[in-house]
Amino acid sequence: MRYVTTFSTEIFSLLNSIIYFHKAIQEIQRVHYSLSFAAFLYTIIGAIGTMLLAIFLSTAESWKPMFHRYLRMGLTEYAAAISVIVFIGIPYIGELATLDKSTLPISTAFRPTSPDRTVFFVRFWNLPVRWIFAAIVPGFIITVLFFFDHEVSSIICTVDRYRTKKPGGFAWDIVLLGITTGLCGILGIPPANGLLPQAPLHSESLMHIEREEVQVIVNEEPTTEIRETEHVYEQRWSAFLQAGAILMFIAPLFQHMLGLTSTSVLAGLFLFMGEQSLSVNPILYRFFYLLTPASELPSLPPAVKCYKGVHVYTVLQIVVTVTIFIVTLTKGAPAFPMIIIALVPLRLMVMNKLWGRDTLRFLDAWACREGTPEDDADRKLGTATELEPTQAAVPSV
């Protein structure tokens, strides 16, 4: 991860947003094929309503002076949960209660859901040796996917704008993820990576305003100014409660409550998560630059001559993201993590020959440390640059 730049993390974040939107559409399509047209229409309304209510509540911190500060913070931090609870109950009110519904499937007995299994664990010691070695290939792919998925997600939710003080617990998180993935294999269920605690959605919900005293010089005299800055409230309780709630809903009583949840709520939650991830992705704002007249574009640093290189860089990121998403819809989907890994050498070895150094320095940076690849290259080649000032520049865009 030391060599990963924001070029790759932005693509990965955009890919996650597209996947969330796609999953939401799939949930709505299932209802369209299996239930009445009225139920299908309500599913659309419920999904959009869940998303819009969550987005509205997530802005509660800016409602000042309405409500107490702690109430606004609570609404902001639990916007998605409140919206989900509200729209779980709405389909059971009034005439909506008569509509046929598509709800989450649940288990009614403490036994494997597959009718072909009588025990929860897989008798892997009875497997032929050739299948054990064959499992190395998908195991390697899952390892690459989860490692990159988790590390990049942790980086995205601790970027500079969140002003986090504590670094992500990358090593211990990976150990825990490896243990849970191994347990999933023993239980014969798909490996799951619960990334909600390491997601921009979680960081955004924990954003709050802090007042800081700053010493400034006014008329050659030191004075103190109070400035408001946004910070993430760093704690472990929300992640712990999320994990505890997942464990709690295994109990039969809570399983029954879970079974009341309409799939429209799930679709709305996917839409909200996709929107929250997309709204903080720099690719979105650079895409808007593509649609903006040249006279209205913001000023660039003096070293960057024009927006041509910026626009081509943005288009490349979008094309790569769409290509990876298309791959995930094919039989080659398990291999898509390898494409994402390949973006690292592409950025470091190829793109620096096609884009100007100042353009890349403006657009890209190391994901896990300060500076850019161009800064590091300048430091290493500082002596050579001074000795060869007439060296021809590489053509760039």
Side-chain angles (χ1 to χ4, degrees):
M1 299 305 294
R2 180 177 176 83
Y3 299 100
V4 174
T5 68
T6 56
F7 172 76
S8 302
T9 59
E10 289 170 1
I11 289 175
F12 191 74
S13 179
L14 180 60
L15 177 65
N16 283 339
S17 299
I18 295 174
I19 290 174
Y20 282 137
F21 292 138
H22 181 248
K23 291 298 182 183
I25 293 172
Q26 283 184 318
E27 291 296 332
I28 295 173
Q29 278 184 324
R30 290 192 187 100
V31 175
H32 181 226
Y33 295 141
S34 59
L35 300 181
S36 65
F37 187 67
F40 169 64
L41 291 179
Y42 173 76
T43 299
I44 296 176
I45 295 172
I48 296 176
T50 302
M51 177 190 70
L52 293 180
L53 178 59
I55 293 174
F56 174 68
L57 292 177
S58 67
T59 64
E61 189 69 25
S62 64
W63 294 357
K64 186 180 180 180
M66 289 179 60
F67 308 122
H68 191 277
R69 174 171 173 261
Y70 290 115
L71 177 58
R72 296 197 307 269
M73 287 179 61
L75 291 174
T76 301
E77 293 177 10
Y78 296 98
I82 294 170
S83 180
V84 165
I85 292 172
V86 168
F87 277 89
I88 285 176
I90 286 179
Y92 297 93
I93 299 175
E95 294 183 7
L96 290 176
T98 62
L99 277 178
D100 45 344
K101 302 175 182 65
S102 173
T103 57
L104 297 181
I106 60 171
S107 177
T108 57
F110 191 70
R111 63 178 305 276
T113 53
S114 173
D116 298 329
R117 295 175 56 185
T118 57
V119 293
F120 283 101
F121 55 87
V122 175
R123 295 184 175 89
F124 53 87
W125 55 86
N126 292 331
L127 291 174
V129 175
R130 65 178 182 276
W131 288 112
I132 296 175
F133 284 98
I136 293 175
V137 176
F140 174 75
I141 293 174
I142 290 174
T143 301
V144 172
L145 170 61
F146 277 10
F147 178 80
F148 196 83
D149 188 18
H150 180 274
E151 299 295 288
V152 171
S153 298
S154 298
I155 291 168
I156 293 171
C157 72
T158 56
V159 293
D160 291 342
R161 68 179 298 270
Y162 295 129
R163 300 175 182 270
T164 54
K165 298 177 182 178
K166 299 177 182 178
F170 301 112
W172 286 113
D173 287 346
I174 287 295
V175 170
L176 177 61
L177 182 57
I179 293 172
T180 56
T181 302
L183 290 175
C184 287
I186 293 172
L187 294 174
I189 58 178
N193 184 8
L195 268 180
L196 192 57
Q198 289 92 15
L201 170 63
H202 193 199
S203 296
E204 289 292 326
S205 69
L206 295 172
M207 290 284 281
H208 66 286
I209 297 175
E210 289 184 356
R211 292 180 175 86
E212 297 179 345
E213 292 185 356
V214 180
Q215 295 290 333
V216 296
I217 305 298
V218 178
N219 297 328
E220 299 182 354
E221 294 184 1
T223 59
T224 302
E225 286 187 358
I226 297 178
R227 296 180 181 177
E228 292 186 344
T229 57
E230 288 188 323
H231 292 265
V232 168
Y233 180 65
E234 298 181 62
Q235 41 72 49
R236 295 189 179 274
W237 282 107
S238 54
F240 176 75
L241 291 174
Q242 289 170 17
I246 293 173
L247 183 63
M248 181 179 68
F249 273 89
I250 296 177
L253 174 62
F254 294 102
Q255 280 258 328
H256 176 71
M257 294 173 58
L258 194 65
L260 300 176
T261 305
S262 171
T263 53
S264 64
V265 174
L266 187 62
L269 182 60
F270 285 147
L271 290 174
F272 175 63
M273 294 174 69
E275 184 275 336
Q276 290 288 290
S277 177
L278 182 62
S279 65
V280 296
N281 194 323
I283 295 177
L284 176 66
Y285 300 97
R286 291 201 299 269
F287 173 75
F288 291 153
Y289 290 164
L290 291 169
L291 309 177
T292 304
S295 59
E296 301 295 330
L297 289 170
S299 300
L300 290 169
V304 182
K305 303 303 181 184
C306 66
Y307 264 94
K308 180 182 177 182
V310 177
H311 292 335
V312 175
Y313 182 93
T314 304
V315 170
L316 175 64
Q317 285 185 305
I318 295 173
V319 170
V320 170
T321 305
V322 173
T323 301
I324 296 174
F325 174 69
I326 292 174
V327 170
T328 65
L329 303 179
T330 67
K331 293 182 179 179
F336 90 89
M338 308 309 297
I339 302 177
I340 296 176
I341 294 294
L343 296 177
V344 177
L346 172 70
R347 163 63 181 92
L348 299 178
M349 300 179 183
V350 178
M351 292 179 61
N352 56 358
K353 295 180 174 61
L354 303 176
W355 271 263
R357 298 173 66 83
D358 293 314
T359 301
L360 291 176
R361 186 181 282 110
F362 170 64
L363 293 170
D364 200 12
W366 293 119
C368 298
R369 49 196 170 107
E370 296 292 332
T372 69
E374 285 64 42
D375 293 338
D376 290 359
D378 287 345
R379 282 192 291 269
K380 292 179 180 178
L381 301 176
T383 305
T385 302
E386 293 176 1
L387 294 175
E388 301 177 16
T390 59
Q391 184 179 11
V394 177
S396 60
V397 293

